[in-house]
Amino acid sequence: MKPPLIAILALALLALGPVSLQAAGPSVPLDRVKVDVTNQASLQRGARLYFNYCMGCHSTQYMRYNRVGRDLGLTENQVIHSMIFTTDEEGELVNPGSLITNAMTSAYGEEAFGIEPPDLTLVARVRGEDWLYTFLRSFYVDESRPLGVNNTVFENVGMPHPLWELQGWQEKRADANGGVRLQVVDPGRMSGPEYDRAIRDLVTFLSYVAEPMQVDRQRIGIYVMLFLLVFLAVAYLLKKEYWKDVH
């Protein structure tokens, strides 16, 4: 008797599953972070960090300024004065309805960093919140690199440490167990816990940007499930009414 095709496919998936997960997994343990995209104050702090420290190189070209401002509870004047730094062909600031881009060209990005800085609209979906949180806290001094820094999460990263003045400079040190840890040797403007909270806010903002409808999607999902439960009850009663004479 030949084994069922479904059973064969299930065994194949079980055999391949661990290999795929291992190949796609991170090379270093990731720190867990809990973000709350309903926390408007956290989103505002994260947006301030993004527009002041990330926007110069990275765009979020699938979002619009006014959409971000509306979701973060900002007025149009606040959006214009706090977020918009890009000008149009006439030298005027772009309007709040524009997509969030920057002035860096692809050619200049490749010349400066060896690769064009990626757009960050979907980075939280692609990389994951834990990856971003750990990555932004894992830069360390490495004089062998062209920009003088490296990263334990993304080895040989082609970007400088954008938040060095907040975190300070870290160096790799051996720990008691023979492993490697990062230690701040030149403190920045923030203490360790303060910097961790700032990065959590930045990751919260990037998580919101990656899916601005996620709060509405979850809310609508609850109503959909309630509707399905009511429909199930009605369908069950209707079924009993149709079949009562048959049995």
Side-chain angles (χ1 to χ4, degrees):
M1 178 179 177
K2 295 183 178 180
L5 179 59
I6 295 179
I8 296 175
L9 292 175
L11 289 174
L13 289 174
L14 287 173
L16 293 176
V19 176
S20 300
L21 290 174
Q22 184 177 5
S27 58
V28 297
L30 298 180
D31 298 327
R32 299 297 300 273
V33 62
K34 184 176 182 180
V35 303
D36 180 9
V37 294
T38 65
N39 187 336
Q40 201 169 76
S42 177
L43 287 172
Q44 291 175 358
R45 293 191 298 267
R48 182 168 61 245
L49 287 172
Y50 170 78
F51 283 98
N52 283 297
Y53 291 95
C54 306
M55 182 67 179
C57 297
H58 299 279
S59 63
T60 45
Q61 61 181 340
Y62 302 106
M63 285 291 291
R64 297 184 184 275
Y65 293 101
N66 56 3
R67 170 62 190 269
V68 173
R70 183 171 65 250
D71 290 346
L72 270 59
L74 303 176
T75 65
E76 183 171 306
N77 284 335
Q78 288 175 320
V79 170
I80 294 173
H81 292 97
S82 302
M83 295 183 178
I84 301 179
F85 308 106
T86 306
T87 57
D88 56 22
E89 296 179 354
E90 298 178 356
E92 300 291 335
L93 291 176
V94 298
N95 65 70
S98 302
L99 296 171
I100 303 177
T101 59
N102 57 24
M104 181 179 290
T105 63
S106 300
Y108 180 83
E110 292 180 1
E111 180 182 355
F113 305 109
I115 186 173
E116 180 184 0
D119 180 84
L120 297 184
T121 310
L122 298 176
V123 67
R125 294 286 300 273
V126 175
R127 294 289 190 178
E129 295 162 353
D130 293 343
W131 190 93
L132 283 175
Y133 180 70
T134 309
F135 169 74
L136 291 170
R137 295 160 54 250
S138 299
F139 284 91
Y140 65 93
V141 176
D142 184 354
E143 298 297 341
S144 66
R145 298 293 301 155
L147 299 175
V149 295
N150 211 328
N151 193 287
T152 58
V153 176
F154 195 144
E155 187 177 1
N156 296 330
V157 63
M159 63 179 285
H161 184 7
L163 302 170
W164 66 269
E165 64 177 356
L166 302 182
Q167 184 187 30
W169 295 109
Q170 298 186 122
E171 289 184 354
K172 268 187 174 183
R173 298 289 175 84
D175 59 24
N177 300 320
V180 175
R181 62 183 176 86
L182 297 180
Q183 179 177 335
V184 176
V185 294
D186 186 7
R189 299 207 314 255
M190 292 182 174
S191 65
E194 288 174 338
Y195 183 73
D196 291 345
R197 287 193 295 270
I199 295 304
R200 182 183 62 193
D201 292 335
L202 178 54
V203 172
T204 300
F205 175 73
L206 292 174
S207 177
Y208 149 75
V209 169
E211 189 182 359
M213 280 292 294
Q214 57 185 291
V215 176
D216 290 334
R217 173 178 55 79
Q218 294 168 2
R219 176 179 55 80
I220 294 171
I222 294 175
Y223 291 125
V224 171
M225 294 304 297
L226 291 174
F227 168 79
L228 291 176
L229 288 174
V230 173
F231 178 78
L232 177 63
V234 172
Y236 176 73
L237 294 175
L238 186 62
K239 176 259 183 188
K240 289 187 64 177
E241 180 67 22
Y242 281 160
W243 288 85
K244 65 180 181 180
D245 297 333
V246 177
H247 299 293

